[in-house]
Structures are given as C-alpha cells and as structure tokens.
Amino acid sequence: MVRSDPYFAMPNSLQIKTMIGAYAPWVYFHPDEEYFPSSVLWFFNNGADIYQVGGIHWPVIKDGELLPDYGILGDAYQRIVSSTCAWNDFSTTLDPNNVEDDTEVVSFNLPGPSPSYPTGGDFGKGAIDLGGLEVYQALYFKKIWSTHIGGTNGLGATFYEPVSIPEGFNLLGHYCKQNSKPLFASVLTAKDTTDDPWLGALLNPIDYKLIWTSKGTNISQSVDGYIWLPIPPDGYKAVGHIVTTSPEKPSFYKTKCVRSDLTDLIQVDKLIWGYKENTSQLSVNVYTTTPIHKMLSVPVGTFFARSIGEDKHELVCLKMVRSDPYFAMPNSLQIKTMIGAYAPWVYFHPNEKYFPSSVLWFFNNGAEIYQVGGIHWPVINDGELLPDYGTVDDAYLDLPSDEAYNKEKAKRGFLHDAIAYIHVKRALGGTFTDLAIWLYYPFNGAGKVQIGPFTIKLSQIGEHVGDWEHITLRIDNFSGILKSVYLSQHAKGKWFSPTEFEFVEGTRPVVYASLHGHTHYNTPGAHLHLKEEINQNDMKMLYNEFNSYSKKSPIVRGEKYVWFGIRDDAAKSKNVMDIASKHDVVCVDNMDSVLKPWLNYTGRWGPKITYEYKSEILKATSYLPDKVEALAKKLLEKVPAEVFGEEGPEGPKMKDSWTGDERV
C-alpha cells in the first residue's frame, strides 16, 4: 500500500455495526467455570485499586480517569481489594423438580445471521407491552424430559423450559417439539404492568391437575415424565402446561395464570407427539395451538396436552388490548432491512412458458377491461379508469383483442420486467409483521394430474387469464427474526418453518414456482395436491398396465405413486426472480400512503373460461389404455372444476388475506 491514506477502503460506523451483527461469535463457558468475564467498569466498581512503584495505591474511579497513561509496563498494576464473584449473573437456576442429568441450556436454531436493524420506535426491543401485560420472547431453553418413541414419526419428543428470562418476567408454560425437528421456538414469558394490587394481570395457580405421566407405561426411560395443568383462581386462565420429572406437584410459584380479560380463545392445531396404550389414562396427545381470532390474539408458544378421546381444553392465548396495536411495528428503514434480509429467491421450472410481469407491463401490452354487456376499452396508465365499485363479477380484464398487440406475447409475461408487490401488515396482535409478497402472471397454463404411475396432461383444463400468487414472510417484532413462511397453493396455502427451506445469502429462502400453475413450494420435485389414495385393486391394475405401456420409472422421491391428485412440478432453472432487487412496497397498513389505482380495482383479473369439462376429460384421457382411461374419467369427474381455476382471480386487495390471516 503506497497511498497517503491507507484507511480509504475501511468501513464506516454503520458498516462496522453491520459486520458485528453478522459475524460476532457466541462464546460458551465450561459447566465447572468459576471465573467469568465482566465489563471493565464492573471490575472498577467492585473495588479495583491501582498500585504504583513504592506501594502507593488508590481506588480506580469512574472510567479509569486517573489511571497512569505514561511510564513503562512495570510501573503500575491493578488489584482487587475486595469483591464478590458475579457467577449468579451468568448461570441459570435449575428447577428442583427436574432431576435429569441433562440440564444443558440451548438456544433455537436461526436459519442464518440475524439482521442488524436501524434503531427507532418499539420494534426489535425484545419485549412488547400488550396493555397490562408485557411479554418477552424467550431465547434459551433447558431440557426437562424426553422420550424417543411415539409421535407421527416414531422418534418421540422433548419438553423444554424457557430460561435466562429478564427479572420481573414469569413463566407461562413449557414448550414441546418433535425430536426429528430442530429447535425453533417462539415462547413468551410475561410481566404484570397493571400496578393493581388486587386484580393484577398475573396470579399464581391455586392447584395443579395431573394430565398424564409416563410412569407405568411401556416407555423406556431413565426418569418418569409428568404433565400438569395449572388450576387458575377465579377470573384467571391457564396459558400452558408444566412438565416435571417428579410425582410431586410443582410449586405454585413456578408459573403464572393470566387475568381473563387479557386472554383469547385458542383451538387445537397440529399433533406434536402422542403415545397410546390400552387404557386412556396411559395415553396422551400433545398439540400445538392456534388462536381462533387472529388479529388481536397473541400465541404464547406453549403446548396443549390431553388424554386420547377427550375433546375439551382449558388453555388460552394472550390478547393485545392496547388502543394502538401497531406501536411495535417496524418503521420504513426497518422494513427495508427486513426485505433485504429475508426476501426470497423464486425459481421457475426449466419448461416454464408463462412468466410473471409487472402490472404496468401487462397494461402496456394491450390489456383490456370488459364490463357487463360487453363494453370494453384499453387499460391506460396505472389502471386509473378501472372500476373500483360493484361486485367481483361486474368486470374483468382480458388479453388484447387489438391486432396491433401480440396476444401470445402478453400471455407469456416478461420476467425481466416483473415486480413483486409487497403489503406490510400487522399479525397476531401486532407482535409480528407480515410481508405479503404478490406476484402477477398474465396467464396460467394447463394442469396435470397423477393417477398412480400415469401423469396426464389436461389439455385446456386449468388455463385462465390472470394469476395472482403470493408468499408471506412472518417476522417477529421482538427481535426481527423470520419465524414462518406462507406459500400460496391452489386457492389456499400452507405455513412452513424457515428450517424447512434452503437459503441463499444465509437468510433468504428459496421458493419454487410450479410449472404453468405457479403454485409455490419449498422443495423441488413433483408435488401432489388434493391427493387421495387409490384402492389396492386399482393400483395393481395401473402398474400392470404401466409396465406394459412404458418403461419409464414410476418413482418420485424414492417412493412409488399410490395416489390420485393434481400434479405440480417444480425445479431450478436459469430463470429466477430476486425479490430483494425487484419489489415495490405498495401498502404499509400503519403508514399513510396513496394506493395504486389498480389495487382498488374490484373486478376479476381474467374472464370466466367456459368449456365442456367432460369433453376435455375425454380428450385428455383418450390416449390411455382402456382400463386406465375408465378409471381416470371416474376420478377426474370427482374433482370440482373450480379447483383448476377456470375463473380469473380477484386482485390482492380484494382477497380475505389483505385484512385477515392467510387461508390454510
């Protein structure tokens, strides 16, 4: 380096902050460690003295202002006169009910480095005040009890207790996960902020009810597990279960119950783990739960347990009761950071013909608006003259009829010009931010179905003008971490954990758009939608016919097809869309903004296609062997025509999910 300024390529302060946020290490200490690090000021404030040659010494004050900054190394030294060890600041008090040797404290697995957000507002501060109740998202967990049998995959489950929670916050319940899945928990603890000595937000339970114990079962284990339900005082509700390894009831100070007006209703969601024996007393199912009312309800992340055969439950979730449920939402700079950190890459199939485009590209390539009675005119500018009143069936958009435009070109879209339209909205009582990412396709291609080993192309069935698909990123407002991803799939969709994706650049999930139908998936390959099992006799016939009909292997993901269903194919290709560099934030619910005119359009984005469904089935199956053709017709006639999307869709703002939660 011969430049006069060798620092010219060094990072600035914001860049240094980003470096630290991205790469700062975690340092673990040995279980038997007695001597921990401290801040320099902590050492000074706990009696450090400075000694100089000749034995002269004095206490170190403030930030070390009087420490010598001259002389040589041996002229002075520091020494502790009297201080106490700060080990209590670094260790976790263990529950005496838990007697297992394995008391390792673990944190959840992030899909990549956590973003470094700009400061401002109440977003990303670790705790959120719901009104009378402040909640903190636990980051560390201690194993309580584990089993390696039972559950949907036979690998068992493990129960954990949130630990290392700040002073003043209280446990609301324990957490459970399948052993086959990584630890990626979102469990809340709570602090009373009512200052009400008589009707505070939190009270201890008055008793516990034993829901289940592994004692007396055939589970092989070193210790027994016990699942308890806290019994709340009148006017309060239990939010989670407590798990111990002792038959003695937990301490009443172990957990808290929540005042009823600060809670909301939940419903049983997905099975985490279950164990079944001959008697119901020895059998149990453990579930996740989900709020019934999504907009103000706040899930706690605890599990729900009940004996097999029972259909009632007594747990609740929390509720946002503040007058401003948006107070912990991110500001514009923080939203920009979210998008840069988590915006997905969308891959298209190598054989894809119908790509997304921007809405304006479609308008500028001859799109026309039709109203009842056949009146139609070209769409101009940003959709300024599109109807923003009436019902969804009062108007529809269509491909150009003017010969001056190329209809085939309009159908194929233009990936280079495509834009992802992002709607930022609050979720789950304002404790999460949803980034709903909408992609527009001018045309949706024909579908395919799978019948055992036979893949059948469906001619025109499934074709329609206009296709809106979306991906929703759900990011917590406690720390700004991506917690789940929603993928739209055939009029509904599915939530996925970030741990179920592959990632680009550490934190950005890879999403696959299926061939022609553009349904979103988290993995490549063949996916079957609305699949149903085919009976054994029909399957035998199908494979006999297939073996004589084709030498192609009927294998996908190492398994033979034994189902009937709509088939979606997904794969990587050179055609990929980087959402982070090609997006437009069209609406932030808690910020004033002028919506683009086309967002307020109330009609359909394509005409209703009419064709003879049965004749199309005959056309699609005519090349099959006779027995296969007969079965295919019977199965296809059971599928509702609307599943293949014969009508043009509504626009994003007209869909239920614009103001509500996603459809699953």
Side-chain angles (χ1 to χ4, degrees):
M1 171 63 77
V2 296
R3 286 179 62 123
S4 59
D5 174 20
Y7 293 98
F8 81 101
M10 294 291 286
N12 62 30
S13 57
L14 288 177
Q15 292 163 340
I16 292 168
K17 183 178 179 182
T18 301
M19 282 181 178
I20 296 168
Y23 299 123
W26 289 79
V27 180
Y28 284 91
F29 300 96
H30 193 278
D32 299 328
E33 182 59 71
E34 296 180 46
Y35 306 110
F36 290 95
S38 74
S39 69
V40 170
L41 288 189
W42 183 92
F43 177 59
F44 291 171
N45 293 333
N46 277 272
D49 280 10
I50 179 70
Y51 283 71
Q52 284 194 298
V53 174
I56 303 169
H57 65 94
W58 63 90
V60 182
I61 61 171
K62 296 182 179 178
D63 208 8
E65 294 171 6
L66 300 182
L67 293 177
D69 56 0
Y70 54 86
I72 62 173
L73 180 64
D75 284 351
Y77 64 90
Q78 290 179 344
R79 179 171 158 188
I80 300 175
V81 175
S82 64
S83 66
T84 57
C85 178
W87 66 269
N88 280 322
D89 294 338
F90 298 91
S91 66
T92 300
T93 303
L94 301 181
D95 177 9
N97 285 317
N98 302 328
V99 296
E100 288 189 271
D101 293 332
D102 184 2
T103 54
E104 178 186 4
V105 174
V106 295
S107 62
F108 57 70
N109 298 321
L110 296 175
S114 179
S116 177
Y117 287 96
T119 58
D122 288 288
F123 171 80
K125 292 190 172 180
I128 296 175
D129 191 345
L130 305 181
L133 199 65
E134 187 176 2
V135 290
Y136 170 83
Q137 190 176 64
L139 301 177
Y140 300 93
F141 300 86
K142 175 171 62 67
K143 175 181 168 183
I144 304 168
W145 183 77
S146 182
T147 176
H148 296 283
I149 64 170
T152 54
N153 52 25
L155 297 177
T158 300
F159 296 83
Y160 294 89
E161 177 178 323
V163 294
S164 298
I165 57 179
E167 184 178 354
F169 284 85
N170 300 275
L171 190 68
L172 296 177
H174 286 158
Y175 170 73
C176 178
K177 79 167 190 72
Q178 293 178 357
N179 290 332
S180 59
K181 294 187 176 181
L183 180 64
F184 194 69
S186 180
V187 181
L188 300 186
T189 58
K191 179 168 70 173
D192 188 343
T193 59
T194 62
D195 294 326
D196 187 332
W198 305 108
L199 286 173
L202 301 171
L203 280 183
N204 298 329
I206 58 174
D207 201 357
Y208 288 93
K209 175 184 175 182
L210 181 62
I211 299 298
W212 178 82
T213 175
S214 64
K215 187 176 180 64
T217 67
N218 294 321
I219 295 177
S220 176
Q221 57 202 344
S222 57
V223 292
D224 295 315
Y226 298 80
I227 301 176
W228 304 89
L229 174 68
I231 306 300
D234 288 344
Y236 289 77
K237 299 286 187 180
V239 179
H241 291 286
I242 296 297
V243 178
T244 69
T245 55
S246 166
E248 296 181 7
K249 292 181 180 181
S251 165
F252 294 155
Y253 297 97
K254 181 68 180 176
T255 188
K256 295 289 184 182
C257 300
V258 182
R259 203 173 69 199
S260 297
D261 62 313
L262 304 178
T263 68
D264 215 341
L265 300 176
I266 60 171
Q267 58 192 356
V268 173
D269 191 20
K270 298 175 183 175
L271 180 69
I272 303 173
W273 173 75
Y275 178 77
K276 187 173 183 180
E277 285 203 8
N278 294 330
T279 64
S280 59
Q281 291 85 355
L282 298 178
S283 303
V284 69
N285 280 335
V286 174
Y287 302 90
T288 61
T289 63
T290 186
I292 293 177
H293 310 115
K294 306 284 185 179
M295 296 312 294
L296 292 176
S297 299
V298 178
V300 180
T302 54
F303 66 90
F304 167 66
R306 67 182 173 197
S307 299
I308 294 176
E310 285 190 12
D311 58 359
K312 64 178 181 178
H313 67 80
E314 302 175 59
L315 297 182
V316 294
C317 64
L318 303 179
K319 183 168 63 176
M320 170 67 78
V321 298
R322 286 178 63 124
S323 57
D324 176 19
Y326 291 97
F327 84 101
M329 293 289 287
N331 61 31
S332 56
L333 289 177
Q334 292 161 344
I335 291 169
K336 184 178 179 180
T337 300
M338 279 183 181
I339 295 169
Y342 294 125
W345 290 74
V346 180
Y347 279 93
F348 301 94
H349 194 278
N351 299 327
E352 183 60 72
K353 294 193 296 184
Y354 307 113
F355 289 96
S357 74
S358 68
V359 168
L360 289 189
W361 182 92
F362 179 59
F363 290 171
N364 293 333
N365 277 271
E368 296 179 342
I369 179 69
Y370 285 72
Q371 283 195 296
V372 175
I375 303 169
H376 66 99
W377 62 91
V379 183
I380 61 171
N381 299 335
D382 210 4
E384 294 167 7
L385 300 182
L386 291 176
D388 57 0
Y389 53 86
T391 70
V392 68
D393 292 315
D394 286 347
Y396 64 86
L397 291 164
D398 205 352
L399 298 168
S401 61
D402 191 329
E403 292 183 359
Y405 293 98
N406 186 328
K407 184 179 287 191
E408 279 302 312
K409 177 184 175 183
K411 285 170 68 173
R412 290 177 181 272
F414 190 38
L415 182 58
H416 180 71
D417 184 74
I419 293 175
Y421 301 101
I422 300 180
H423 174 208
V424 182
K425 58 179 184 171
R426 68 178 170 89
L428 301 175
T431 57
F432 286 80
T433 295
D434 276 1
L435 303 182
I437 301 167
W438 292 90
L439 300 180
Y440 175 68
Y441 299 80
F443 195 76
N444 192 92
K448 291 186 291 187
V449 296
Q450 192 74 33
I451 301 178
F454 289 89
T455 303
I456 302 171
K457 296 180 180 179
L458 291 177
S459 184
Q460 296 183 67
I461 300 175
E463 288 187 349
H464 58 86
V465 176
D467 188 16
W468 280 103
E469 302 288 350
H470 73 288
I471 301 159
T472 298
L473 308 177
R474 181 158 286 177
I475 297 162
D476 78 62
N477 291 341
F478 296 94
S479 53
I481 293 172
L482 177 67
K483 285 300 176 69
S484 49
V485 180
Y486 177 87
L487 302 181
S488 61
Q489 298 176 345
H490 296 284
K492 293 185 179 180
K494 183 179 177 182
W495 286 103
F496 294 85
S497 166
T499 59
E500 297 177 87
F501 287 82
E502 55 184 297
F503 285 85
V504 175
E505 298 175 1
T507 57
R508 299 179 57 196
V510 171
V511 175
Y512 296 86
S514 70
L515 177 63
H516 295 169
H518 315 129
T519 298
H520 290 135
Y521 292 98
N522 62 322
T523 57
H527 301 267
L528 294 189
H529 179 68
L530 294 178
K531 68 183 183 183
E532 62 177 78
E533 200 160 341
I534 301 171
N535 74 58
Q536 194 170 1
N537 290 333
D538 285 338
M539 278 306 305
K540 186 175 181 181
M541 177 275 294
L542 286 170
Y543 274 93
N544 286 338
E545 293 288 339
F546 183 81
N547 290 333
S548 59
Y549 175 79
S550 170
K551 292 184 179 179
K552 292 183 179 178
S553 172
I555 302 294
V556 69
R557 295 188 188 175
E559 294 180 356
K560 290 185 177 181
Y561 286 116
V562 293
W563 304 285
F564 161 71
I566 300 168
R567 174 170 171 152
D568 292 322
D569 290 297
K572 281 184 180 175
S573 72
K574 64 180 181 180
N575 294 313
V576 60
M577 185 173 178
D578 174 9
I579 303 297
S581 62
K582 303 183 74 175
H583 69 269
D584 182 5
V585 178
V586 294
C587 181
V588 181
D589 279 359
N590 57 314
M591 298 182 189
D592 293 331
S593 59
V594 178
L595 296 181
K596 298 178 184 298
W598 57 262
L599 270 171
N600 289 317
Y601 167 55
T602 53
R604 294 192 180 277
W605 285 73
K608 182 174 181 177
I609 298 174
T610 56
Y611 50 77
E612 179 52 48
Y613 187 58
K614 288 190 177 181
S615 67
E616 290 297 322
I617 291 175
L618 288 173
K619 190 188 304 182
T621 59
S622 60
Y623 69 95
L624 295 169
D626 292 344
K627 292 180 181 178
V628 179
E629 182 181 3
L631 178 61
K633 289 176 185 175
K634 184 175 75 172
L635 293 171
L636 282 168
E637 286 175 359
K638 293 166 56 179
V639 180
E642 58 267 23
V643 168
F644 294 105
E646 64 174 2
E647 293 185 326
E650 299 174 277
K653 190 169 180 282
M654 302 302 123
K655 295 181 183 291
D656 294 341
S657 64
W658 187 269
T659 55
D661 204 8
E662 302 291 354
R663 296 180 66 188
V664 293

